[in-house]
Amino acid sequence: MVMLAVGMMATSASGQAINVERFRPALDRFGFLGFNGSGTLGHGRWNTGLTTWYSNRPLRINYTDGTSGQVIDNRMTGDFFAEVGLFGRWSLALEVPLVFYQNGNTSQPVDGNTSFTGFAVEDPRFTTKIRVLGKETEKTQDRPDRPGLGLLLTFPVPIGSTSLFASEGQFTFDAQLLGDFHLIGIGAGTMLGWRYRVNERQFGADTLGQELQYGFSLKPPIPPAKDLVGLLELRGTTSFRGRSTNTLEGDIGVRWTKNH
C-alpha cells in the first residue's frame, strides 16, 4: 500500500514536550486510513511495510506575550511496522515511527532552542488487537465480511526525541474500540478511543490531559477496476479543555490490493 497524507494543524505550546504527530496509519488491508478495522490477519499470517506522509506547518506556538510564531514548517514522517496474526482473532504489532526530516525556526526560543530542523526518532509502539465479535479470520481469507467489533491497545515506549516534538517523554496509553462492517468489498468503520497521559501538558493557556479519540470511515469499491477501493475518513480528538485543544482531520485516498 502506498499513501500520501497531507495535514495541517495548529497547536499552542510552551515549555513541555509533545508529539506533534496525529496521523497513525492502519496496519493492514482490513483497516482504513488512520485507524484499524476489527479483523485480524489470521493465524500464522504476517504483514510488514512502510507508510510515509508529509505535513505542512504542523506546529504553531502562541507565546505568553500574545504573539505567535511558526515552529515547524515542513515534516516528512514514516512508520515501519510488522504484524502477526494469532488464532484467528488476535494480532500483535510493532511500529517504529521516524521523522525523516523536518525544518523550522522561531524568533523566540522554545525550551532554549530556536531551530527544530533535522531527523528524529518517535516513540516505538507495541500494539495488540483482539476481535471480540465477528467471525475469526481464516488463513486464506482476503477480507473480513459482515459486522465485527475489536479492541486495540497501544503501549508506546517513551524514548523518542522530545527536543524535536517527536515524543512526550512520558508514559501514555491508547485504547480503541473498533466497529466495522464489510460486504462484497464495501466497508464502513468507526473508532472510539481514549488516550491516557500520566502527566498533563500545559501549553500557554491550554492544557492537554486525558483525550477522547473518534473516527468514521467509508471504503467503497471503485468500478470497473478490480481490487481498487476508495477511502474516506474523518478523525478527531478532544481534551475537553476548550476549542484550542481539539483536532479534526479529514483524509481521502485509494487502495489497490493484488491477490492475497
Side-chain angles (χ1 to χ4, degrees):
M1 179 179 67
V2 178
M3 179 176 63
L4 173 66
V6 179
M8 298 183 66
M9 190 181 305
T11 307
S12 58
S14 67
Q16 293 196 48
I18 60 171
N19 187 349
V20 177
E21 196 57 60
R22 289 290 184 175
F23 181 75
R24 179 182 174 184
L27 294 172
D28 52 59
R29 65 184 182 279
F30 299 126
F32 298 91
L33 274 173
F35 64 89
N36 291 273
S38 68
T40 60
L41 295 176
H43 183 66
R45 298 174 78 180
W46 57 272
N47 178 56
T48 185
L50 165 66
T51 300
T52 63
W53 61 97
Y54 163 78
S55 301
N56 177 249
R57 300 196 300 173
L59 181 63
R60 184 176 182 84
I61 287 184
N62 297 325
Y63 299 107
T64 55
D65 61 3
T67 62
S68 63
Q70 194 66 39
V71 178
I72 301 177
D73 297 317
N74 302 283
R75 183 184 248 207
M76 189 71 184
T77 313
D79 190 276
F80 293 92
F81 53 86
E83 181 186 26
V84 62
L86 299 170
F87 311 115
R89 290 187 177 274
W90 184 26
S91 69
L92 296 173
L94 170 65
E95 298 175 72
V96 182
L98 301 172
V99 179
F100 294 131
Y101 180 77
Q102 71 177 23
N103 68 310
N105 295 276
T106 63
S107 56
Q108 298 189 35
V110 180
D111 288 345
N113 298 324
T114 58
S115 177
F116 300 94
T117 298
F119 167 88
V121 177
E122 295 187 35
D123 295 340
R125 298 188 289 256
F126 291 97
T127 296
T128 182
K129 181 171 62 173
I130 300 174
R131 196 175 203 203
V132 181
L133 297 176
K135 293 181 62 177
E136 66 178 43
T137 307
E138 303 293 337
K139 290 184 179 180
T140 58
Q141 188 172 337
D142 290 337
R143 59 174 180 259
D145 286 321
R146 308 207 178 270
L149 186 67
L151 177 64
L152 183 142
L153 305 175
T154 300
F155 305 89
V157 182
I159 60 174
S161 172
T162 56
S163 61
L164 293 181
F165 300 103
S167 171
E168 292 194 10
Q170 67 167 351
F171 175 76
T172 61
F173 169 81
D174 283 9
Q176 294 181 352
L177 187 65
L178 307 167
D180 56 4
F181 182 87
H182 297 262
L183 186 63
I184 59 173
I186 303 173
T190 184
M191 177 270 291
L192 185 64
W194 187 260
R195 172 166 293 175
Y196 171 76
R197 288 182 170 94
V198 173
N199 299 300
E200 293 184 337
R201 289 304 195 224
Q202 184 71 36
F203 301 110
D206 303 323
T207 302
L208 292 179
Q210 313 317 317
E211 192 171 83
L212 177 70
Q213 306 167 341
Y214 57 91
F216 308 93
S217 191
L218 293 175
K219 187 160 56 175
I222 302 177
K226 186 179 180 181
D227 300 322
L228 185 67
V229 297
L231 291 157
L232 306 171
E233 192 166 289
L234 183 69
R235 298 183 313 280
T237 67
T238 179
S239 290
F240 305 101
R241 299 298 180 92
R243 182 177 178 183
S244 56
T245 66
N246 301 337
T247 70
L248 188 64
E249 180 173 330
D251 292 318
I252 182 171
V254 294
R255 176 181 294 152
W256 176 67
T257 304
K258 180 63 176 175
N259 297 329
H260 301 315

